[in-house]
Amino acid sequence: MGAITSSGRQRGGGRRSKRAPMAEINVTPFVDVMLVLLIIFMVTAPLLASGVPVDLPDSRAAALPEERDPVTIVIASGGVIYLDDEELAPGVLPARLTAIRPGADGKLPAITLRADQRLDYGRVMGVMGELNRAGFTSIQMVTNGSAVPPPVISGSGTEQ
């Protein structure tokens, strides 16, 4: 038997112990783990959104809803073209675009185009022309959402 304490209660692992089983769960470790996971996901989620670093232009356009499986084309500052984070050799884009098959609904997937703001306008239009030639008519252009409103231009061509 266990030893008797000064209060007259038995101490030890005897069967007559007056301690009731603990009926509540300690959630503190669970909350700690969840907070750490939340911070990890908050830090890594923006990094997963885009694989090729591009300096996007600013725009005040409203954001569009995201597609399920969009095809992403990136034109980096050096003019290098990436198709879904895979660098393409010059002249390969048209063949790769024709290899993309329509989905179950018979439509080609939407294209998400990300282009560096320092690129020549003609380079971006050349890629868009190839997309149109391959049958892609739904092209979403990605920009930063932090642009200032453009200046108002009067009919005489001067800024106000």
Side-chain angles (χ1 to χ4, degrees), residues 47-99:
L47 300 176
L48 298 175
S50 62
V52 180
V54 178
D55 186 17
L56 296 171
D58 294 331
S59 172
R60 293 183 47 182
L64 296 173
E66 286 194 28
E67 294 284 326
R68 285 185 65 129
D69 294 320
V71 175
T72 303
I73 295 181
V74 178
I75 310 171
S77 61
V80 178
I81 298 174
Y82 295 84
L83 180 64
D84 288 334
D85 297 334
E86 177 187 345
E87 184 176 341
L88 300 179
V92 176
L93 180 63
R96 293 293 300 273
L97 290 175
T98 56

Side-chain angles (χ1 to χ4, degrees), residues 24-133:
E24 54 197 44
I25 298 173
N26 187 4
V27 295
T28 304
F30 177 72
V31 171
D32 290 344
V33 169
M34 287 297 119
L35 288 175
V36 168
L37 288 175
L38 177 67
I39 292 170
I40 290 171
F41 286 124
M42 286 174 56
V43 170
T44 58
L47 300 176
L48 298 175
S50 62
V52 180
V54 178
D55 186 17
L56 296 171
D58 294 331
S59 172
R60 293 183 47 182
L64 296 173
E66 286 194 28
E67 294 284 326
R68 285 185 65 129
D69 294 320
V71 175
T72 303
I73 295 181
V74 178
I75 310 171
S77 61
V80 178
I81 298 174
Y82 295 84
L83 180 64
D84 288 334
D85 297 334
E86 177 187 345
E87 184 176 341
L88 300 179
V92 176
L93 180 63
R96 293 293 300 273
L97 290 175
T98 56
I100 298 173
R101 297 288 163 227
D105 58 357
K107 294 181 181 179
L108 288 169
I111 299 290
T112 301
L113 180 61
R114 300 174 65 238
D116 194 284
Q117 69 177 348
R118 293 179 296 262
L119 281 173
D120 180 42
Y121 183 69
R123 180 75 171 146
V124 177
M125 288 289 89
V127 170
M128 290 184 71
E130 289 298 328
L131 289 167
N132 189 286
R133 196 169 137 256

